[in-house]
Amino acid sequence: MSVQERKQRERAERERLIVATARELAEQQGWDAVTTRRLAERIEYSQPVLYSHFRGKREIIGAVALEGATEMAAAVRAAASAADGPRGRAAALARAYLDFAEGNPAVYDALFQLDGGLAYAQEDTPAPLKDAFAALMESLGEVAGDGVHPGLFTEVFWASLHGLATLTRAGRLLPEDAAQRVELLVDRLAVV
């Protein structure tokens, strides 16, 4: 291995450490607790080293969001692939999405609530975000119904899931009705 390859590998490892540490800190204490100073202390590197990877907290949030998008896409695909039929896949996708939001609140915030400097629904949208949307559309497109654009249907279904995730997390919805909400959403929106 050349010196250049070793340096690139070490740089990538430091970057992964920064993102993992930011994510861990955010999940434990919220995003307000994530500062470059605290990250530098936790990873035992100086702030200038941290700034050589990310220009600031906004870019770190973006990196966490991209990592989270990849994980969410995998969770949704795994759930949908284990289900039977179009309706079953839509319901499994919805449950997996809501479980992801509940289990990873800081990552979910990085993806959908905070400014990570990422473009959504545009030409320059990063590939992990496009893939997360594609993971939703793979199963939802088949229940959109005749004459309904699969992407538009996916946006509406996703917006409903986001609303459920956000309201549930804020304590505005009764937790014991979660399964019924998913069933209602699938029954009313999915055409099978």
Side-chain angles (χ1 to χ4, degrees), residues 3-50:
V3 171
Q4 181 67 20
E5 289 171 329
R6 182 181 52 79
K7 285 183 179 185
Q8 287 175 341
R9 189 186 75 230
E10 288 171 355
R11 179 171 177 74
E13 288 171 8
R14 267 193 316 272
E15 193 165 300
R16 280 191 295 276
L17 177 62
I18 293 165
V19 171
T21 303
R23 181 176 175 167
E24 178 184 321
L25 188 57
E27 292 291 1
Q28 291 171 352
Q29 300 176 31
W31 279 104
D32 287 342
V34 179
T35 64
T36 53
R37 176 174 287 165
R38 287 185 86 184
L39 286 174
E41 289 171 2
R42 282 202 174 196
I43 65 172
E44 299 179 344
Y45 283 101
S46 68
Q47 281 184 292
V49 169
L50 193 127

Side-chain angles (χ1 to χ4, degrees), residues 124-187:
D124 60 341
T125 298
L129 298 178
K130 287 180 179 180
D131 186 57
F133 186 79
L136 296 174
M137 196 163 66
E138 288 163 10
S139 292
L140 296 175
E142 64 184 345
V143 296
D146 292 337
V148 178
H149 188 278
L152 184 61
F153 179 80
T154 299
E155 289 174 348
V156 170
F157 199 96
W158 171 33
S160 299
L161 289 175
H162 177 68
L164 289 174
T166 302
L167 291 170
T168 299
R169 196 162 137 207
R172 305 293 199 275
L173 301 176
L174 296 172
E176 60 267 19
D177 294 334
Q180 289 176 294
R181 282 187 204 96
V182 168
E183 291 303 314
L184 182 61
L185 179 64
V186 172
D187 284 346

Side-chain angles (χ1 to χ4, degrees), residues 88-147:
R89 283 188 287 279
L93 172 148
R95 285 189 295 274
Y97 181 97
L98 294 171
D99 288 347
F100 181 86
E102 181 183 357
N104 304 280
V107 173
Y108 192 81
D109 283 348
L111 269 164
F112 303 120
Q113 303 290 97
L114 301 174
D115 179 9
L118 303 173
Y120 285 78
Q122 297 175 23
E123 286 284 324
D124 60 341
T125 298
L129 298 178
K130 287 180 179 180
D131 186 57
F133 186 79
L136 296 174
M137 196 163 66
E138 288 163 10
S139 292
L140 296 175
E142 64 184 345
V143 296
D146 292 337

